[in-house]
Amino acid sequence: MHSYRLTRLETMLSYLEKGHRPSFEEWKQFIDQQFGEIKIRQFRMDIQYLRETGLSNGPLNILFKNGQYQLVNEKKFDYGNLLQSEKVTLPLVFAALKPFERFPSVRALLDQLIKVHKLNRQEIKILGASLGNNQPPMNELFVDRIITLMQAIHQETAVEFNYYKVDQGAITSENNNIVFRAVFPLQIRVHDGRYYLIGLRTEREARPELVEHFPIDRIHRRVDFSTHEDTEEPVKFAWPNLANQLNLEELFAHRIGMYRGSTEEKPVWIYRWFTGWAASLVQAVPLHSSQEIIETRGGDIRIRLTLVPTPDLENTFRKFGEFSWEG
């Protein structure tokens, strides 16, 4: 196959993989913009090729429904290839995923585990109860926000939403402290059971100190894709370029939690003693990848962390109460 056509086919597939569900005209228009106008007959042949032959992983399941094309993944988990020791841990997988079943991808996987592999529901229930669940409740609206944000990140599209400012306290039915935000979404991070959007407001310069975190539970109602006022086209951005400009990879590397303080702050050595149950927990589950145990005294341990001090770090220490102290 000519390399030019291969590149075109890869671009067609990438467009669907990012979640787009175009009509024939919309899909062709996108490809025409990338490669110059091609004949309708040739474009239909390209679609047929993707469906019947595909690229490196074989034929693709491209459905045409309600006037739109969409890519559907129907690859199935092969239960038959699992060892016995792997099969018996499937209920554990189910229990771990159960809190996230409102997400479509997780729901599909759980359906596979139940219907295809016929897991014992009573066994799942007992094991699930033993795991416990520290995840916050996820209603449909909350899940919809996360899905929209993840889709926007994948499609490199700005989003907009109304937002209860964090410094205004608890949300009430009479709360009027709502602000509008248009944001380039970069990441979704989870800290202490709470979900946050990491992003840069569209009207701001691409500087690390201007990156913000928005608790997703404080978004009012829904998240929408931003569009240009004149053309109504989506507001696009180049995620790799913006992430590089903002030094995104390093923004949280030396911090615990979401608060970052000044981007000019450098990580320092932080020393902390732990005793009793706190020592056991911190030894088994390190607070940060930089953690080192540098001294032991009976059942007590002294650790060293390489971090930037933040309010979230102080809150983490505070949870250990009298079983942890500085030194």
Side-chain angles (χ1 to χ4, degrees), residues 271-276 279-280 283 293-303 323 325-327:
Y271 296 90
R272 196 84 183 181
W273 279 96
F274 293 86
T275 190
S280 175
Q283 186 176 31
I293 298 176
I294 60 173
E295 189 176 347
T296 59
R297 184 187 300 163
D300 300 347
I301 62 172
R302 185 181 185 224
I303 68 169
F323 295 89
W325 61 93
E326 187 178 356

Side-chain angles (χ1 to χ4, degrees), residues 44-62:
R44 293 191 186 280
M45 290 173 61
D46 285 347
I47 295 175
Q48 183 179 2
Y49 184 89
L50 291 174
R51 281 173 158 170
E52 296 180 356
T53 304
L55 299 175
S56 57
N57 293 320
L60 297 162
N61 189 9
I62 300 174

Side-chain angles (χ1 to χ4, degrees), residues 26-284:
E26 290 169 340
W27 199 8
K28 183 177 182 301
Q29 183 181 28
F30 172 77
I31 297 302
D32 287 345
Q33 291 172 350
Q34 307 296 315
F35 298 93
E37 187 170 358
I38 62 175
K39 295 180 179 180
I40 292 178
R41 181 172 176 273
Q42 178 61 58
F43 191 66
R44 293 191 186 280
M45 290 173 61
D46 285 347
I47 295 175
Q48 183 179 2
Y49 184 89
L50 291 174
R51 281 173 158 170
E52 296 180 356
T53 304
L55 299 175
S56 57
N57 293 320
L60 297 162
N61 189 9
I62 300 174
L63 299 184
F64 185 71
K65 186 177 181 180
N66 298 326
Q68 295 177 314
Y69 289 92
Q70 58 178 297
L71 181 65
V72 179
N73 180 13
E74 288 189 340
K75 292 183 179 179
K76 295 181 179 179
F77 177 70
D78 191 353
Y79 179 77
N81 289 336
L82 290 181
L83 301 174
Q84 182 61 30
S85 60
E86 295 170 327
K87 291 177 182 178
V88 297
T89 60
L90 279 176
L92 181 63
V93 175
F94 183 97
L97 291 175
K98 196 73 166 64
F100 304 96
E101 64 180 331
R102 289 182 180 271
F103 292 103
S105 56
V106 177
R107 181 69 260 165
L109 178 57
L110 293 179
D111 285 344
Q112 285 285 307
L113 290 174
I114 294 172
K115 296 176 183 178
V116 178
H117 309 303
K118 299 179 176 59
L119 295 185
N120 184 295
R121 289 181 179 273
Q122 183 63 26
E123 183 182 16
I124 290 168
K125 184 177 180 181
I126 293 172
L127 187 55
S130 70
L131 282 176
N133 178 17
N134 293 322
Q135 293 298 325
M138 294 188 183
N139 58 37
E140 294 294 342
L141 185 56
F142 185 82
V143 171
D144 182 67
R145 293 172 192 159
I146 294 180
I147 293 175
T148 302
L149 289 170
M150 295 183 77
Q151 185 176 6
I153 293 170
H154 192 61
Q155 295 182 6
E156 301 177 352
T157 302
V159 294
E160 55 189 48
F161 49 84
N162 292 309
Y163 177 72
Y164 295 98
K165 296 180 68 174
V166 174
D167 57 5
Q168 299 300 319
I171 298 173
T172 66
S173 57
E174 297 81 22
N175 198 320
N176 295 317
N177 297 305
I178 300 178
V179 293
F180 174 81
R181 293 286 182 260
V183 174
F184 294 125
L186 299 168
Q187 285 182 338
I188 290 179
R189 300 179 70 91
V190 183
H191 173 64
D192 205 15
R194 201 175 187 188
Y195 291 74
Y196 298 84
L197 166 66
I198 308 302
L200 177 75
R201 294 193 216 176
T202 57
E203 73 273 15
R204 291 185 167 180
E205 293 182 54
R207 302 208 312 266
E209 64 269 22
L210 297 181
V211 173
E212 295 179 82
H213 64 276
F214 303 91
I216 295 176
D217 55 82
R218 294 191 70 90
I219 293 176
H220 177 64
R221 297 188 66 80
R222 55 177 292 159
V223 176
D224 294 306
F225 293 105
S226 294
T227 57
H228 293 284
E229 292 184 5
D230 50 347
T231 64
E232 296 188 356
E233 290 292 318
V235 177
K236 308 293 287 185
F237 69 102
W239 192 97
N241 294 343
L242 187 57
N244 183 60
Q245 286 179 277
L246 298 171
N247 197 20
L248 183 62
E249 190 173 338
E250 294 296 319
L251 283 184
F252 298 93
H254 301 292
R255 292 166 171 82
I256 285 180
M258 307 307 301
Y259 293 94
R260 295 178 290 106
S262 170
T263 55
E264 300 300 319
E265 290 183 87
K266 302 298 182 182
V268 298
W269 281 348
I270 296 172
Y271 296 90
R272 196 84 183 181
W273 279 96
F274 293 86
T275 190
W277 64 267
S280 175
L281 179 61
V282 169
Q283 186 176 31

